[in-house]
Amino acid sequence: RLRDARGGLVAEVDDLSLGSRFEPLFSRAHGRPVGHRAVLEVWRGGECLGAERARTELSERGVMDRATALSTGLHMGNYAACEDRGWLLLELPDAVVGHPTLWPPLPQDLFSSAGYAPHHIVLEIRAEAAGIEQMADFVRYHKALGFAVALSEFGRQQADLGRVWGIRPDIVSISPKRLVDGAGEHFPRVLGALARVLHECGAMVSVRDIDDPALLASVLATDADLLEGS
């Protein structure tokens, strides 16, 4: 269930408390953040669990689906109170993509009560969430309603550009760590080439997990559109 707390809305699942954290999406074109990625925080007692521990805890308790179902309303409710609102990027579970009866996967009452419009929301789905036809249907349906759609974990398994052409997302999110592992010293050139091809597909390129100056410098040498990191 959801309840109000000093720091905003909190969801309670068993003895765990679920909260929201918002990480900025920095636009190079605008020179400032243009939105935020919603991240689920899990607390047990007074301790905030890290991402891996949180996933393990929710999975072992068998409450991952409940937590995921609560998270969209939780994040939208908490983000409504932020002063510097922009795009709100929401990660969606794979199960939603292949089930049109769950579309759109958001609490509709928040669009009126919290002043949201579809163009404020970016729905992020994994690159391997479903088959290409199912994912393309999901993207077409939600674009027609005014939502933007992002494709995440691109390149984690394989850089399937044909999948991007077929799905036509607005944004492709790349975690560069695996590219670094595979490309080594050629990483800046590989990322730059990949960004150019994704632009040809009609997608903006977001680079996640930028956590050190050397990586940031490499990313800035490319045509990536959005930057995310600590």
Side-chain angles (χ1 to χ4, degrees), residues 203-226:
M204 289 191 292
V205 177
S206 177
V207 181
R208 298 184 61 177
D209 306 325
I210 302 172
D211 56 7
D212 67 70
L215 181 55
L216 176 60
S218 295
V219 174
L220 289 175
T222 74
D223 294 327
D225 303 285
L226 301 170

Side-chain angles (χ1 to χ4, degrees), residues 41 43 51 62 71 91 104 106 112 116 120 131 140 224-225:
E41 288 192 331
W43 294 76
S71 65
E91 300 179 13
L106 303 171
S112 55
Y116 282 104
H120 297 140
R140 281 192 296 267
D225 303 285

Side-chain angles (χ1 to χ4, degrees), residues 17-228:
S17 295
L18 313 181
S20 302
R21 185 176 78 252
F22 300 107
E23 300 179 346
L25 301 171
F26 185 86
S27 166
R28 296 179 69 183
H30 295 84
R32 59 176 174 81
V34 291
H36 294 82
R37 172 182 295 277
V39 178
L40 186 67
E41 288 192 331
V42 179
W43 294 76
R44 185 177 55 206
E47 178 189 15
C48 182
L49 308 182
E52 291 298 328
R53 286 182 63 198
R55 279 192 289 270
T56 300
E57 188 78 21
L58 293 171
S59 297
E60 289 180 349
R61 291 171 178 242
V63 296
M64 179 65 81
D65 289 345
R66 284 172 58 196
T68 301
L70 285 168
S71 65
T72 52
L74 176 71
H75 296 322
M76 289 177 69
N78 283 327
Y79 196 58
C82 294
E83 294 183 0
D84 56 343
R85 282 168 53 176
W87 281 340
L88 175 59
L89 192 151
L90 298 169
E91 300 179 13
L92 299 181
D94 294 352
V96 167
V97 180
H99 292 83
T101 55
L102 301 177
W103 300 351
L106 303 171
Q108 296 303 296
D109 60 310
L110 284 173
F111 282 88
S112 55
S113 64
Y116 282 104
H119 66 266
H120 297 140
I121 305 293
V122 180
L123 304 173
E124 186 174 74
I125 57 178
R126 287 194 325 111
E128 304 293 328
I132 291 181
E133 290 187 8
Q134 287 179 309
M135 294 181 72
D137 287 344
F138 179 94
V139 171
R140 281 192 296 267
Y141 178 90
H142 288 88
K143 278 188 175 184
L145 293 177
F147 296 98
V149 181
L151 195 68
S152 71
E153 297 190 8
F154 179 80
R156 181 160 292 189
Q157 299 298 326
Q158 56 182 350
D160 188 353
L161 293 170
R163 201 169 183 84
V164 178
W165 277 108
I167 296 168
R168 294 288 179 166
D170 299 286
I171 301 169
V172 173
S173 177
I174 299 172
S175 184
K177 299 296 187 182
R178 293 178 184 272
L179 289 181
V180 171
D181 292 342
E185 63 182 17
H186 303 295
F187 164 72
R189 233 184 322 166
V190 172
L191 180 60
L194 188 55
R196 289 192 293 274
V197 174
L198 290 171
H199 285 155
E200 288 293 323
C201 296
M204 289 191 292
V205 177
S206 177
V207 181
R208 298 184 61 177
D209 306 325
I210 302 172
D211 56 7
D212 67 70
L215 181 55
L216 176 60
S218 295
V219 174
L220 289 175
T222 74
D223 294 327
D225 303 285
L226 301 170
L227 310 179
E228 301 180 55

